[in-house]
Amino acid sequence: MVTGRSGIPCMIMRGGTSKGLYFLADDLPGDREERDELLLRIMGSPDRRQIDGLGGAHPLTSKVAVVSPRGDGSVDYLFLQVFVDQALVSDQQNCGNILAGVGPFAIERGLVAAGQDTTSVRIAMANAGGAVAATVRTPGGEVTYDGDVEIAGVPGTAAPVVLDFQGTAGSTCGSLLPTGQVSEVIDGVTVTCVDNGMPVVVMPAGQLGVTGAESPEELESDASLRRRLEALRLEAGRRMGLGDVSATTVPKLTMVSPPRAGGACGSRTFIPHRCHTSIGVLGAASVAAALRLPGSAVDGIAALSDGPRVRVEHPTGYLDVEVELDGHDVTRTGVVRTARKLIDGIAYPR
C-alpha cells in the first residue's frame, strides 16, 4: 500500500478544457482495486470539495491518465474518471481533452523520442479501442507549451496539439449507431444515439422545454429536467447495449439548439449528472456526426458548412471538430487542442 510517506510520481496537466493527474502505469499498483483505492486517496474522494487531495471538486478536474509504452514506439493511454463525492473510479469512457496531454507527457517521461521540430506520438486508447496520432511541438527536441493557439474555455494561448483519430466510430458500442436507428423516440423525446468515440444521446433542446441557451447552473438547478434526463439516459443506455448505466458515466446527454454565435449549433451536455461548462472532444465528435446524419434527431437544426469542420458552441465558447462521413461510416475525425504542464512532482495520498 502506497502511504503518505512514500508518495508516487505524478504530473498535473491541463488537457484541453479539463485538468488531470498523469501517471506512468509502472508507478501505480498492478491490481485494479488497489490502484483505484490509491487514486481515490490521492484525489481526496469521496468528498464534494476533495479538500484533502488533488482533485478540483468537479468531474472536469477529477481525471486521471495512465500511460505506458507499447514497445513499438507508441503508447497506451487509459483514462480514469474519479468521482468527486462517491468512492468510484470508472474506465467506461475515453476523454479527448485529457488525451491532449498524453503526447507531451509521453515525451517528457522519455517514452517517445522527441523530434527537432514536431513529434508524432501514436496513442492507443485502452478504454474502448481506437487510436490517435498526436502531433506535439518539440523545437530543439523539447516539448514546448507556449504558442498562439486559443481554445474556448481556457484563458490565454498555448502550443497546438493536433489530434487525428482512427477507429472512433463504435469504439464503445460497436457501431456508429448502436441502436440501429438514425433517430427514435424515448419518453416523448426524439433522440439519436451515436458513438463516434463517445456514446452520446443527442436531442433537440426544445423538446425538453429549454432553449439551449441556459447556463449550466440554471440547468443543474432544474430538478425535474434532471430526473427526466436521467430516466431517458437509462433507457438509452439499455438500447445502446451498455446495460444498466445507473452507476456509469456513459452515455452522455447533449441537447442541441440553433447557433447563436456563428457556429454550427449550440450545445448543453450532461456528463451525465453535471452540466458540462464546455463540451468534451469526443463528445463533440459524436455530436458532429449526428448533425451530419440525414434524418437524425437534430437534422435541420445546425448551420453546417460544406467542409468537414463543425463548430459546436458550448457555454464558454466553441469547439471545432472535423468529421467526414461516407453514408453511416466515419472516415475521419480530427481536432486541435492545447495542453500545459502545471506541476511535476510527488503526490502524497492520505
Side-chain angles (χ1 to χ4, degrees), residues 20-59:
L21 312 184
Y22 290 69
F23 298 95
L24 291 176
D26 285 347
D27 290 331
L28 292 171
D31 178 78
R32 175 173 176 167
E33 289 188 8
E34 187 180 348
R35 178 202 68 194
D36 290 354
E37 189 270 341
L38 171 62
L39 293 176
L40 287 165
R41 289 189 287 127
I42 290 175
M43 280 292 190
S45 297
D47 171 38
R48 63 184 180 85
R49 293 190 300 157
Q50 293 180 317
I51 195 65
D52 201 29
L54 297 177
H58 192 281

PDB file of all heavy atoms in Angstrom, residues 20-59:
ATOM      1  N   GLY A  20      -6.082  17.086 -15.105  1.00  0.00           N
ATOM      2  CA  GLY A  20      -5.985  15.769 -14.517  1.00  0.00           C
ATOM      3  C   GLY A  20      -4.590  15.418 -14.051  1.00  0.00           C
ATOM      4  O   GLY A  20      -3.628  16.171 -14.231  1.00  0.00           O
ATOM      5  N   LEU A  21      -4.491  14.244 -13.444  1.00  0.00           N
ATOM      6  CA  LEU A  21      -3.238  13.698 -12.962  1.00  0.00           C
ATOM      7  C   LEU A  21      -2.747  12.663 -13.964  1.00  0.00           C
ATOM      8  O   LEU A  21      -3.513  11.787 -14.392  1.00  0.00           O
ATOM      9  CB  LEU A  21      -3.422  13.042 -11.592  1.00  0.00           C
ATOM     10  CG  LEU A  21      -4.174  13.839 -10.522  1.00  0.00           C
ATOM     11  CD1 LEU A  21      -4.161  13.072  -9.206  1.00  0.00           C
ATOM     12  CD2 LEU A  21      -3.571  15.220 -10.343  1.00  0.00           C
ATOM     13  N   TYR A  22      -1.472  12.740 -14.323  1.00  0.00           N
ATOM     14  CA  TYR A  22      -0.878  11.833 -15.301  1.00  0.00           C
ATOM     15  C   TYR A  22       0.150  10.960 -14.598  1.00  0.00           C
ATOM     16  O   TYR A  22       1.050  11.459 -13.908  1.00  0.00           O
ATOM     17  CB  TYR A  22      -0.218  12.619 -16.436  1.00  0.00           C
ATOM     18  CG  TYR A  22      -1.199  13.325 -17.345  1.00  0.00           C
ATOM     19  CD1 TYR A  22      -1.947  14.409 -16.889  1.00  0.00           C
ATOM     20  CD2 TYR A  22      -1.378  12.920 -18.662  1.00  0.00           C
ATOM     21  CE1 TYR A  22      -2.846  15.064 -17.717  1.00  0.00           C
ATOM     22  CE2 TYR A  22      -2.266  13.563 -19.513  1.00  0.00           C
ATOM     23  CZ  TYR A  22      -2.998  14.632 -19.033  1.00  0.00           C
ATOM     24  OH  TYR A  22      -3.893  15.282 -19.863  1.00  0.00           O
ATOM     25  N   PHE A  23       0.009   9.635 -14.782  1.00  0.00           N
ATOM     26  CA  PHE A  23       0.902   8.669 -14.152  1.00  0.00           C
ATOM     27  C   PHE A  23       1.459   7.710 -15.192  1.00  0.00           C
ATOM     28  O   PHE A  23       0.782   7.370 -16.171  1.00  0.00           O
ATOM     29  CB  PHE A  23       0.143   7.825 -13.112  1.00  0.00           C
ATOM     30  CG  PHE A  23      -0.433   8.580 -11.961  1.00  0.00           C
ATOM     31  CD1 PHE A  23      -1.755   9.008 -11.986  1.00  0.00           C
ATOM     32  CD2 PHE A  23       0.328   8.846 -10.830  1.00  0.00           C
ATOM     33  CE1 PHE A  23      -2.313   9.687 -10.907  1.00  0.00           C
ATOM     34  CE2 PHE A  23      -0.214   9.521  -9.745  1.00  0.00           C
ATOM     35  CZ  PHE A  23      -1.536   9.951  -9.788  1.00  0.00           C
ATOM     36  N   LEU A  24       2.675   7.225 -14.957  1.00  0.00           N
ATOM     37  CA  LEU A  24       3.163   6.050 -15.657  1.00  0.00           C
ATOM     38  C   LEU A  24       2.525   4.827 -15.021  1.00  0.00           C
ATOM     39  O   LEU A  24       2.399   4.744 -13.792  1.00  0.00           O
ATOM     40  CB  LEU A  24       4.679   5.951 -15.558  1.00  0.00           C
ATOM     41  CG  LEU A  24       5.491   7.004 -16.313  1.00  0.00           C
ATOM     42  CD1 LEU A  24       6.977   6.814 -16.023  1.00  0.00           C
ATOM     43  CD2 LEU A  24       5.217   6.949 -17.810  1.00  0.00           C
ATOM     44  N   ALA A  25       2.104   3.877 -15.864  1.00  0.00           N
ATOM     45  CA  ALA A  25       1.441   2.687 -15.338  1.00  0.00           C
ATOM     46  C   ALA A  25       2.320   1.950 -14.330  1.00  0.00           C
ATOM     47  O   ALA A  25       1.822   1.409 -13.332  1.00  0.00           O
ATOM     48  CB  ALA A  25       1.054   1.762 -16.485  1.00  0.00           C
ATOM     49  N   ASP A  26       3.630   1.930 -14.555  1.00  0.00           N
ATOM     50  CA  ASP A  26       4.537   1.213 -13.655  1.00  0.00           C
ATOM     51  C   ASP A  26       4.619   1.846 -12.270  1.00  0.00           C
ATOM     52  O   ASP A  26       5.095   1.202 -11.319  1.00  0.00           O
ATOM     53  CB  ASP A  26       5.940   1.149 -14.263  1.00  0.00           C
ATOM     54  CG  ASP A  26       6.038   0.138 -15.397  1.00  0.00           C
ATOM     55  OD1 ASP A  26       5.111  -0.682 -15.543  1.00  0.00           O
ATOM     56  OD2 ASP A  26       7.038   0.178 -16.143  1.00  0.00           O
ATOM     57  N   ASP A  27       4.172   3.100 -12.160  1.00  0.00           N
ATOM     58  CA  ASP A  27       4.202   3.761 -10.856  1.00  0.00           C
ATOM     59  C   ASP A  27       2.941   3.514 -10.040  1.00  0.00           C
ATOM     60  O   ASP A  27       2.858   3.945  -8.874  1.00  0.00           O
ATOM     61  CB  ASP A  27       4.409   5.271 -11.035  1.00  0.00           C
ATOM     62  CG  ASP A  27       5.816   5.611 -11.512  1.00  0.00           C
ATOM     63  OD1 ASP A  27       6.747   4.853 -11.197  1.00  0.00           O
ATOM     64  OD2 ASP A  27       5.967   6.638 -12.211  1.00  0.00           O
ATOM     65  N   LEU A  28       1.964   2.835 -10.631  1.00  0.00           N
ATOM     66  CA  LEU A  28       0.713   2.530  -9.938  1.00  0.00           C
ATOM     67  C   LEU A  28       0.629   1.030  -9.645  1.00  0.00           C
ATOM     68  O   LEU A  28       1.258   0.221 -10.327  1.00  0.00           O
ATOM     69  CB  LEU A  28      -0.486   2.947 -10.798  1.00  0.00           C
ATOM     70  CG  LEU A  28      -0.686   4.443 -11.022  1.00  0.00           C
ATOM     71  CD1 LEU A  28      -1.771   4.680 -12.074  1.00  0.00           C
ATOM     72  CD2 LEU A  28      -1.049   5.146  -9.720  1.00  0.00           C
ATOM     73  N   PRO A  29      -0.152   0.636  -8.647  1.00  0.00           N
ATOM     74  CA  PRO A  29      -0.320  -0.798  -8.379  1.00  0.00           C
ATOM     75  C   PRO A  29      -0.902  -1.522  -9.588  1.00  0.00           C
ATOM     76  O   PRO A  29      -1.742  -0.982 -10.322  1.00  0.00           O
ATOM     77  CB  PRO A  29      -1.311  -0.815  -7.199  1.00  0.00           C
ATOM     78  CG  PRO A  29      -1.168   0.533  -6.557  1.00  0.00           C
ATOM     79  CD  PRO A  29      -0.868   1.479  -7.668  1.00  0.00           C
ATOM     80  N   GLY A  30      -0.470  -2.751  -9.797  1.00  0.00           N
ATOM     81  CA  GLY A  30      -0.988  -3.542 -10.901  1.00  0.00           C
ATOM     82  C   GLY A  30      -2.388  -4.066 -10.651  1.00  0.00           C
ATOM     83  O   GLY A  30      -3.159  -4.294 -11.595  1.00  0.00           O
ATOM     84  N   ASP A  31      -2.739  -4.259  -9.397  1.00  0.00           N
ATOM     85  CA  ASP A  31      -4.072  -4.721  -9.041  1.00  0.00           C
ATOM     86  C   ASP A  31      -5.065  -3.570  -9.184  1.00  0.00           C
ATOM     87  O   ASP A  31      -4.845  -2.479  -8.635  1.00  0.00           O
ATOM     88  CB  ASP A  31      -4.086  -5.241  -7.605  1.00  0.00           C
ATOM     89  CG  ASP A  31      -5.464  -5.693  -7.175  1.00  0.00           C
ATOM     90  OD1 ASP A  31      -5.874  -6.798  -7.569  1.00  0.00           O
ATOM     91  OD2 ASP A  31      -6.132  -4.915  -6.450  1.00  0.00           O
ATOM     92  N   ARG A  32      -6.150  -3.810  -9.896  1.00  0.00           N
ATOM     93  CA  ARG A  32      -7.100  -2.735 -10.189  1.00  0.00           C
ATOM     94  C   ARG A  32      -7.725  -2.156  -8.920  1.00  0.00           C
ATOM     95  O   ARG A  32      -7.824  -0.928  -8.782  1.00  0.00           O
ATOM     96  CB  ARG A  32      -8.188  -3.248 -11.133  1.00  0.00           C
ATOM     97  CG  ARG A  32      -9.284  -2.235 -11.404  1.00  0.00           C
ATOM     98  CD  ARG A  32     -10.249  -2.711 -12.456  1.00  0.00           C
ATOM     99  NE  ARG A  32     -11.345  -1.761 -12.632  1.00  0.00           N
ATOM    100  CZ  ARG A  32     -12.194  -1.803 -13.655  1.00  0.00           C
ATOM    101  NH1 ARG A  32     -12.083  -2.742 -14.579  1.00  0.00           N
ATOM    102  NH2 ARG A  32     -13.166  -0.913 -13.756  1.00  0.00           N
ATOM    103  N   GLU A  33      -8.171  -2.995  -8.023  1.00  0.00           N
ATOM    104  CA  GLU A  33      -8.811  -2.489  -6.808  1.00  0.00           C
ATOM    105  C   GLU A  33      -7.841  -1.655  -5.986  1.00  0.00           C
ATOM    106  O   GLU A  33      -8.200  -0.602  -5.455  1.00  0.00           O
ATOM    107  CB  GLU A  33      -9.370  -3.648  -5.988  1.00  0.00           C
ATOM    108  CG  GLU A  33     -10.590  -4.314  -6.618  1.00  0.00           C
ATOM    109  CD  GLU A  33     -11.229  -5.324  -5.683  1.00  0.00           C
ATOM    110  OE1 GLU A  33     -10.821  -5.389  -4.499  1.00  0.00           O
ATOM    111  OE2 GLU A  33     -12.136  -6.044  -6.132  1.00  0.00           O
ATOM    112  N   GLU A  34      -6.600  -2.118  -5.888  1.00  0.00           N
ATOM    113  CA  GLU A  34      -5.603  -1.374  -5.130  1.00  0.00           C
ATOM    114  C   GLU A  34      -5.291  -0.043  -5.807  1.00  0.00           C
ATOM    115  O   GLU A  34      -5.140   0.990  -5.148  1.00  0.00           O
ATOM    116  CB  GLU A  34      -4.331  -2.207  -4.991  1.00  0.00           C
ATOM    117  CG  GLU A  34      -3.290  -1.585  -4.077  1.00  0.00           C
ATOM    118  CD  GLU A  34      -2.045  -2.439  -3.954  1.00  0.00           C
ATOM    119  OE1 GLU A  34      -2.078  -3.610  -4.383  1.00  0.00           O
ATOM    120  OE2 GLU A  34      -1.030  -1.924  -3.435  1.00  0.00           O
ATOM    121  N   ARG A  35      -5.202  -0.081  -7.155  1.00  0.00           N
ATOM    122  CA  ARG A  35      -4.956   1.157  -7.911  1.00  0.00           C
ATOM    123  C   ARG A  35      -6.067   2.165  -7.687  1.00  0.00           C
ATOM    124  O   ARG A  35      -5.809   3.351  -7.413  1.00  0.00           O
ATOM    125  CB  ARG A  35      -4.853   0.829  -9.396  1.00  0.00           C
ATOM    126  CG  ARG A  35      -4.636   2.034 -10.319  1.00  0.00           C
ATOM    127  CD  ARG A  35      -5.078   1.718 -11.730  1.00  0.00           C
ATOM    128  NE  ARG A  35      -6.515   1.546 -11.820  1.00  0.00           N
ATOM    129  CZ  ARG A  35      -7.143   0.991 -12.878  1.00  0.00           C
ATOM    130  NH1 ARG A  35      -6.442   0.526 -13.888  1.00  0.00           N
ATOM    131  NH2 ARG A  35      -8.465   0.891 -12.889  1.00  0.00           N
ATOM    132  N   ASP A  36      -7.319   1.725  -7.817  1.00  0.00           N
ATOM    133  CA  ASP A  36      -8.445   2.649  -7.685  1.00  0.00           C
ATOM    134  C   ASP A  36      -8.524   3.218  -6.275  1.00  0.00           C
ATOM    135  O   ASP A  36      -8.820   4.407  -6.082  1.00  0.00           O
ATOM    136  CB  ASP A  36      -9.756   1.941  -8.041  1.00  0.00           C
ATOM    137  CG  ASP A  36      -9.859   1.617  -9.526  1.00  0.00           C
ATOM    138  OD1 ASP A  36      -8.969   2.046 -10.290  1.00  0.00           O
ATOM    139  OD2 ASP A  36     -10.821   0.942  -9.923  1.00  0.00           O
ATOM    140  N   GLU A  37      -8.254   2.385  -5.277  1.00  0.00           N
ATOM    141  CA  GLU A  37      -8.271   2.862  -3.893  1.00  0.00           C
ATOM    142  C   GLU A  37      -7.202   3.934  -3.682  1.00  0.00           C
ATOM    143  O   GLU A  37      -7.425   4.934  -3.007  1.00  0.00           O
ATOM    144  CB  GLU A  37      -8.048   1.664  -2.962  1.00  0.00           C
ATOM    145  CG  GLU A  37      -8.253   1.973  -1.482  1.00  0.00           C
ATOM    146  CD  GLU A  37      -6.962   2.427  -0.809  1.00  0.00           C
ATOM    147  OE1 GLU A  37      -5.873   2.165  -1.365  1.00  0.00           O
ATOM    148  OE2 GLU A  37      -7.033   3.039   0.265  1.00  0.00           O
ATOM    149  N   LEU A  38      -6.045   3.735  -4.303  1.00  0.00           N
ATOM    150  CA  LEU A  38      -4.974   4.721  -4.202  1.00  0.00           C
ATOM    151  C   LEU A  38      -5.377   6.032  -4.879  1.00  0.00           C
ATOM    152  O   LEU A  38      -5.159   7.122  -4.317  1.00  0.00           O
ATOM    153  CB  LEU A  38      -3.699   4.171  -4.840  1.00  0.00           C
ATOM    154  CG  LEU A  38      -2.535   5.151  -5.001  1.00  0.00           C
ATOM    155  CD1 LEU A  38      -2.058   5.651  -3.641  1.00  0.00           C
ATOM    156  CD2 LEU A  38      -1.395   4.509  -5.781  1.00  0.00           C
ATOM    157  N   LEU A  39      -5.977   5.940  -6.054  1.00  0.00           N
ATOM    158  CA  LEU A  39      -6.362   7.155  -6.775  1.00  0.00           C
ATOM    159  C   LEU A  39      -7.432   7.934  -6.018  1.00  0.00           C
ATOM    160  O   LEU A  39      -7.429   9.177  -6.018  1.00  0.00           O
ATOM    161  CB  LEU A  39      -6.850   6.804  -8.183  1.00  0.00           C
ATOM    162  CG  LEU A  39      -5.777   6.254  -9.129  1.00  0.00           C
ATOM    163  CD1 LEU A  39      -6.395   5.838 -10.464  1.00  0.00           C
ATOM    164  CD2 LEU A  39      -4.671   7.275  -9.365  1.00  0.00           C
ATOM    165  N   LEU A  40      -8.355   7.248  -5.375  1.00  0.00           N
ATOM    166  CA  LEU A  40      -9.360   7.930  -4.566  1.00  0.00           C
ATOM    167  C   LEU A  40      -8.691   8.708  -3.433  1.00  0.00           C
ATOM    168  O   LEU A  40      -9.068   9.852  -3.142  1.00  0.00           O
ATOM    169  CB  LEU A  40     -10.358   6.919  -3.996  1.00  0.00           C
ATOM    170  CG  LEU A  40     -11.359   6.320  -4.986  1.00  0.00           C
ATOM    171  CD1 LEU A  40     -12.030   5.091  -4.391  1.00  0.00           C
ATOM    172  CD2 LEU A  40     -12.394   7.354  -5.406  1.00  0.00           C
ATOM    173  N   ARG A  41      -7.675   8.109  -2.828  1.00  0.00           N
ATOM    174  CA  ARG A  41      -6.981   8.795  -1.739  1.00  0.00           C
ATOM    175  C   ARG A  41      -6.182   9.984  -2.259  1.00  0.00           C
ATOM    176  O   ARG A  41      -6.120  11.039  -1.618  1.00  0.00           O
ATOM    177  CB  ARG A  41      -6.065   7.813  -0.998  1.00  0.00           C
ATOM    178  CG  ARG A  41      -6.837   6.789  -0.167  1.00  0.00           C
ATOM    179  CD  ARG A  41      -5.912   5.989   0.726  1.00  0.00           C
ATOM    180  NE  ARG A  41      -5.104   5.031  -0.017  1.00  0.00           N
ATOM    181  CZ  ARG A  41      -3.787   4.948   0.058  1.00  0.00           C
ATOM    182  NH1 ARG A  41      -3.106   5.784   0.840  1.00  0.00           N
ATOM    183  NH2 ARG A  41      -3.122   4.035  -0.614  1.00  0.00           N
ATOM    184  N   ILE A  42      -5.549   9.817  -3.411  1.00  0.00           N
ATOM    185  CA  ILE A  42      -4.784  10.929  -3.978  1.00  0.00           C
ATOM    186  C   ILE A  42      -5.704  12.088  -4.350  1.00  0.00           C
ATOM    187  O   ILE A  42      -5.378  13.261  -4.105  1.00  0.00           O
ATOM    188  CB  ILE A  42      -3.986  10.458  -5.210  1.00  0.00           C
ATOM    189  CG1 ILE A  42      -2.843   9.533  -4.790  1.00  0.00           C
ATOM    190  CG2 ILE A  42      -3.425  11.648  -5.987  1.00  0.00           C
ATOM    191  CD1 ILE A  42      -2.081   8.922  -5.944  1.00  0.00           C
ATOM    192  N   MET A  43      -6.858  11.789  -4.920  1.00  0.00           N
ATOM    193  CA  MET A  43      -7.797  12.832  -5.330  1.00  0.00           C
ATOM    194  C   MET A  43      -8.527  13.476  -4.153  1.00  0.00           C
ATOM    195  O   MET A  43      -8.993  14.604  -4.247  1.00  0.00           O
ATOM    196  CB  MET A  43      -8.828  12.266  -6.303  1.00  0.00           C
ATOM    197  CG  MET A  43      -8.338  12.136  -7.725  1.00  0.00           C
ATOM    198  SD  MET A  43      -8.066  13.747  -8.504  1.00  0.00           S
ATOM    199  CE  MET A  43      -7.815  13.236 -10.196  1.00  0.00           C
ATOM    200  N   GLY A  44      -8.652  12.733  -3.040  1.00  0.00           N
ATOM    201  CA  GLY A  44      -9.426  13.241  -1.914  1.00  0.00           C
ATOM    202  C   GLY A  44     -10.885  12.884  -2.000  1.00  0.00           C
ATOM    203  O   GLY A  44     -11.733  13.571  -1.408  1.00  0.00           O
ATOM    204  N   SER A  45     -11.217  11.811  -2.712  1.00  0.00           N
ATOM    205  CA  SER A  45     -12.610  11.360  -2.832  1.00  0.00           C
ATOM    206  C   SER A  45     -12.861  10.207  -1.848  1.00  0.00           C
ATOM    207  O   SER A  45     -11.936   9.465  -1.489  1.00  0.00           O
ATOM    208  CB  SER A  45     -12.873  10.879  -4.259  1.00  0.00           C
ATOM    209  OG  SER A  45     -12.718  11.914  -5.195  1.00  0.00           O
ATOM    210  N   PRO A  46     -14.103  10.038  -1.397  1.00  0.00           N
ATOM    211  CA  PRO A  46     -15.271  10.861  -1.717  1.00  0.00           C
ATOM    212  C   PRO A  46     -15.416  12.053  -0.773  1.00  0.00           C
ATOM    213  O   PRO A  46     -15.434  11.898   0.440  1.00  0.00           O
ATOM    214  CB  PRO A  46     -16.430   9.879  -1.506  1.00  0.00           C
ATOM    215  CG  PRO A  46     -15.926   8.918  -0.453  1.00  0.00           C
ATOM    216  CD  PRO A  46     -14.444   8.819  -0.649  1.00  0.00           C
ATOM    217  N   ASP A  47     -15.521  13.223  -1.354  1.00  0.00           N
ATOM    218  CA  ASP A  47     -15.725  14.468  -0.627  1.00  0.00           C
ATOM    219  C   ASP A  47     -16.027  15.524  -1.675  1.00  0.00           C
ATOM    220  O   ASP A  47     -15.256  15.695  -2.625  1.00  0.00           O
ATOM    221  CB  ASP A  47     -14.469  14.857   0.157  1.00  0.00           C
ATOM    222  CG  ASP A  47     -14.555  16.250   0.760  1.00  0.00           C
ATOM    223  OD1 ASP A  47     -15.655  16.626   1.218  1.00  0.00           O
ATOM    224  OD2 ASP A  47     -13.541  16.974   0.745  1.00  0.00           O
ATOM    225  N   ARG A  48     -17.138  16.226  -1.533  1.00  0.00           N
ATOM    226  CA  ARG A  48     -17.556  17.139  -2.592  1.00  0.00           C
ATOM    227  C   ARG A  48     -16.555  18.267  -2.818  1.00  0.00           C
ATOM    228  O   ARG A  48     -16.536  18.874  -3.880  1.00  0.00           O
ATOM    229  CB  ARG A  48     -18.943  17.712  -2.293  1.00  0.00           C
ATOM    230  CG  ARG A  48     -19.035  18.551  -1.040  1.00  0.00           C
ATOM    231  CD  ARG A  48     -20.462  19.010  -0.768  1.00  0.00           C
ATOM    232  NE  ARG A  48     -20.563  19.817   0.436  1.00  0.00           N
ATOM    233  CZ  ARG A  48     -20.338  21.127   0.469  1.00  0.00           C
ATOM    234  NH1 ARG A  48     -20.001  21.777  -0.628  1.00  0.00           N
ATOM    235  NH2 ARG A  48     -20.467  21.788   1.608  1.00  0.00           N
ATOM    236  N   ARG A  49     -15.702  18.554  -1.837  1.00  0.00           N
ATOM    237  CA  ARG A  49     -14.666  19.577  -2.028  1.00  0.00           C
ATOM    238  C   ARG A  49     -13.309  18.958  -2.353  1.00  0.00           C
ATOM    239  O   ARG A  49     -12.381  19.684  -2.727  1.00  0.00           O
ATOM    240  CB  ARG A  49     -14.532  20.443  -0.778  1.00  0.00           C
ATOM    241  CG  ARG A  49     -15.745  21.319  -0.483  1.00  0.00           C
ATOM    242  CD  ARG A  49     -15.433  22.312   0.622  1.00  0.00           C
ATOM    243  NE  ARG A  49     -15.058  21.630   1.873  1.00  0.00           N
ATOM    244  CZ  ARG A  49     -14.344  22.172   2.842  1.00  0.00           C
ATOM    245  NH1 ARG A  49     -13.885  23.409   2.702  1.00  0.00           N
ATOM    246  NH2 ARG A  49     -14.057  21.497   3.942  1.00  0.00           N
ATOM    247  N   GLN A  50     -13.178  17.650  -2.183  1.00  0.00           N
ATOM    248  CA  GLN A  50     -11.893  16.950  -2.356  1.00  0.00           C
ATOM    249  C   GLN A  50     -10.776  17.730  -1.640  1.00  0.00           C
ATOM    250  O   GLN A  50      -9.667  17.868  -2.139  1.00  0.00           O
ATOM    251  CB  GLN A  50     -11.570  16.764  -3.844  1.00  0.00           C
ATOM    252  CG  GLN A  50     -12.519  15.805  -4.559  1.00  0.00           C
ATOM    253  CD  GLN A  50     -12.198  15.614  -6.024  1.00  0.00           C
ATOM    254  OE1 GLN A  50     -11.897  16.572  -6.732  1.00  0.00           O
ATOM    255  NE2 GLN A  50     -12.261  14.385  -6.500  1.00  0.00           N
ATOM    256  N   ILE A  51     -11.115  18.202  -0.455  1.00  0.00           N
ATOM    257  CA  ILE A  51     -10.249  19.138   0.252  1.00  0.00           C
ATOM    258  C   ILE A  51      -8.931  18.510   0.694  1.00  0.00           C
ATOM    259  O   ILE A  51      -7.915  19.200   0.855  1.00  0.00           O
ATOM    260  CB  ILE A  51     -10.994  19.744   1.474  1.00  0.00           C
ATOM    261  CG1 ILE A  51     -10.263  20.977   2.010  1.00  0.00           C
ATOM    262  CG2 ILE A  51     -11.194  18.683   2.550  1.00  0.00           C
ATOM    263  CD1 ILE A  51     -10.222  22.126   1.056  1.00  0.00           C
ATOM    264  N   ASP A  52      -8.910  17.170   0.865  1.00  0.00           N
ATOM    265  CA  ASP A  52      -7.704  16.519   1.358  1.00  0.00           C
ATOM    266  C   ASP A  52      -6.955  15.786   0.239  1.00  0.00           C
ATOM    267  O   ASP A  52      -6.234  14.830   0.490  1.00  0.00           O
ATOM    268  CB  ASP A  52      -8.051  15.529   2.478  1.00  0.00           C
ATOM    269  CG  ASP A  52      -6.854  15.217   3.363  1.00  0.00           C
ATOM    270  OD1 ASP A  52      -5.975  16.081   3.509  1.00  0.00           O
ATOM    271  OD2 ASP A  52      -6.799  14.091   3.888  1.00  0.00           O
ATOM    272  N   GLY A  53      -7.151  16.267  -1.005  1.00  0.00           N
ATOM    273  CA  GLY A  53      -6.488  15.630  -2.137  1.00  0.00           C
ATOM    274  C   GLY A  53      -6.262  16.613  -3.264  1.00  0.00           C
ATOM    275  O   GLY A  53      -6.439  17.825  -3.110  1.00  0.00           O
ATOM    276  N   LEU A  54      -5.880  16.094  -4.417  1.00  0.00           N
ATOM    277  CA  LEU A  54      -5.511  16.926  -5.560  1.00  0.00           C
ATOM    278  C   LEU A  54      -6.671  17.209  -6.504  1.00  0.00           C
ATOM    279  O   LEU A  54      -6.505  17.934  -7.478  1.00  0.00           O
ATOM    280  CB  LEU A  54      -4.370  16.257  -6.344  1.00  0.00           C
ATOM    281  CG  LEU A  54      -3.060  16.079  -5.579  1.00  0.00           C
ATOM    282  CD1 LEU A  54      -2.043  15.343  -6.443  1.00  0.00           C
ATOM    283  CD2 LEU A  54      -2.502  17.422  -5.137  1.00  0.00           C
ATOM    284  N   GLY A  55      -7.841  16.642  -6.247  1.00  0.00           N
ATOM    285  CA  GLY A  55      -8.987  16.885  -7.105  1.00  0.00           C
ATOM    286  C   GLY A  55      -9.491  18.310  -7.000  1.00  0.00           C
ATOM    287  O   GLY A  55      -9.262  18.993  -5.991  1.00  0.00           O
ATOM    288  N   GLY A  56     -10.192  18.752  -8.028  1.00  0.00           N
ATOM    289  CA  GLY A  56     -10.674  20.128  -8.076  1.00  0.00           C
ATOM    290  C   GLY A  56     -12.152  20.292  -7.804  1.00  0.00           C
ATOM    291  O   GLY A  56     -12.722  21.318  -8.159  1.00  0.00           O
ATOM    292  N   ALA A  57     -12.784  19.293  -7.175  1.00  0.00           N
ATOM    293  CA  ALA A  57     -14.188  19.374  -6.749  1.00  0.00           C
ATOM    294  C   ALA A  57     -15.163  19.451  -7.918  1.00  0.00           C
ATOM    295  O   ALA A  57     -16.261  19.968  -7.785  1.00  0.00           O
ATOM    296  CB  ALA A  57     -14.404  20.550  -5.790  1.00  0.00           C
ATOM    297  N   HIS A  58     -14.775  18.942  -9.080  1.00  0.00           N
ATOM    298  CA  HIS A  58     -15.655  18.918 -10.249  1.00  0.00           C
ATOM    299  C   HIS A  58     -15.217  17.753 -11.130  1.00  0.00           C
ATOM    300  O   HIS A  58     -14.016  17.442 -11.197  1.00  0.00           O
ATOM    301  CB  HIS A  58     -15.565  20.239 -11.021  1.00  0.00           C
ATOM    302  CG  HIS A  58     -16.638  20.408 -12.058  1.00  0.00           C
ATOM    303  ND1 HIS A  58     -16.595  19.799 -13.288  1.00  0.00           N
ATOM    304  CD2 HIS A  58     -17.794  21.120 -12.030  1.00  0.00           C
ATOM    305  CE1 HIS A  58     -17.677  20.120 -13.980  1.00  0.00           C
ATOM    306  NE2 HIS A  58     -18.415  20.916 -13.231  1.00  0.00           N
ATOM    307  N   PRO A  59     -16.165  17.086 -11.825  1.00  0.00           N
ATOM    308  CA  PRO A  59     -15.773  15.976 -12.699  1.00  0.00           C
ATOM    309  C   PRO A  59     -14.707  16.349 -13.730  1.00  0.00           C
ATOM    310  O   PRO A  59     -13.888  15.506 -14.116  1.00  0.00           O
ATOM    311  CB  PRO A  59     -17.090  15.594 -13.385  1.00  0.00           C
ATOM    312  CG  PRO A  59     -18.151  15.989 -12.419  1.00  0.00           C
ATOM    313  CD  PRO A  59     -17.638  17.242 -11.769  1.00  0.00           C
TER     314      PRO A  59
END
